[in-house]
DNA sequence: GCCAACGTTGGC
DNA sequence: GCCAACGTTGGC
């Protein structure tokens, strides 16, 4: 089982939305590196839910991968801001995965704190200027993150 | 293939 | 609003 970190802006889709819905399709990813990470996800993997673009940013929850290799429906929807006219249903360009809510942590584990605990080499999210919305989390970091996060609230 | 211009993410 | 750190696009 691998670990991941997945960012979302809470104004758009936050941990409370996920908790209310139970599971969600993680769609709208339009970055090849992030897509390729999703393609290596397996059922049973876990992902730390990261709130971005808010004060303070940080890890707020935990999710589990429950479905993989799904074509992202928004790429075929002309009304969607993620519509991709170049993508064909017989050869979808963009994938997504389904994630299940597991836990919320309160207070969140803030980016400031993550910077005290991890180097940019260990945990990419603490690197200044990092724009990738999906990042792998090495197992050694995941173990320490569980210790730092403590019991879910 | 090179590179400049431009766009996006996200912290601050 | 600014800027860092890229990714993408398009001219050549």
């Amino acid at each position: 089982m691998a670990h991941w970190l997945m960012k979302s802006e809470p104004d758009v889709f936050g941990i409370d939305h996920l908790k209310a819905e139970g599971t969600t399709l993680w769609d709208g990813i339009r970055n090849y590196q992030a897509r390729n990470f999703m393609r290596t996800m397996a059922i049973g993997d876990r992902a730390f839910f990261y709130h971005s673009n808010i004060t303070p940013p940080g890890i707020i929850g935990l999710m589990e991968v429950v479905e993989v290799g799904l074509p992202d429906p928004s790429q075929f929807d002309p009304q969607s801001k993620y519509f991709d006219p170049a993508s064909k249903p017989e050869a979808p360009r963009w994938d997504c995965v389904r994630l299940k809510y597991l836990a919320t942590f309160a207070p969140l584990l803030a980016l400031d704190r993550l910077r005290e605990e991890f180097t940019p080499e260990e945990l990419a999210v603490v690197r200044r200027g990092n724009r990738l919305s999906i990042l792998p989390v090495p197992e050694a970091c995941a173990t320490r993150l569980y210790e730092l996060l403590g019991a879910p609230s």
Side-chain angles (χ1 to χ4, degrees):
Chain A
M1 178 195 60
H3 281 87
W4 306 91
L5 183 145
M6 302 176 81
K7 301 177 187 173
S8 183
E9 304 184 12
D11 293 347
V12 180
F13 187 86
I15 192 73
D16 290 340
H17 297 103
L18 177 60
K19 185 177 184 177
E21 292 171 21
T23 73
T24 191
L25 218 50
W26 205 269
D27 59 358
I29 299 300
R30 295 293 180 272
N31 170 287
Y32 287 106
Q33 230 179 313
R35 182 202 68 179
N36 293 343
F37 282 136
M38 278 200 297
R39 286 187 171 176
T40 71
M41 288 183 184
I43 291 170
D45 282 4
R46 286 182 170 186
F48 297 99
F49 196 128
Y50 181 94
H51 274 179
S52 63
N53 252 315
I54 193 168
T55 305
I59 293 174
I60 188 72
L62 188 65
M63 307 181 279
E64 181 181 336
V65 177
V66 292
E67 277 186 90
V68 297
L70 306 163
D72 180 340
S74 65
Q75 70 194 306
F76 305 124
D77 175 6
Q79 307 314 320
S80 170
K81 65 179 283 200
Y82 300 114
F83 179 60
D84 182 352
S87 183
K88 299 288 166 244
E90 58 274 21
R93 176 174 300 180
W94 305 109
D95 294 5
C96 57
V97 297
R98 182 169 290 280
L99 294 155
K100 182 175 75 173
Y101 172 86
L102 289 186
T104 302
F105 302 104
L108 56 58
L109 184 53
L111 179 58
D112 284 352
R113 189 73 206 291
L114 293 173
R115 290 215 162 100
E116 293 172 7
E117 299 287 338
F118 299 98
T119 67
E121 290 72 31
E122 286 175 317
L123 192 65
V125 74
V126 307
R127 200 180 79 234
R128 177 150 170 63
N130 189 317
R131 294 176 309 138
L132 256 192
S133 66
I134 298 176
L135 298 164
V137 175
E139 283 318 295
C141 292
T143 303
R144 283 172 67 197
L145 282 171
Y146 283 123
E147 292 168 7
L148 292 165
L149 286 160
S153 68

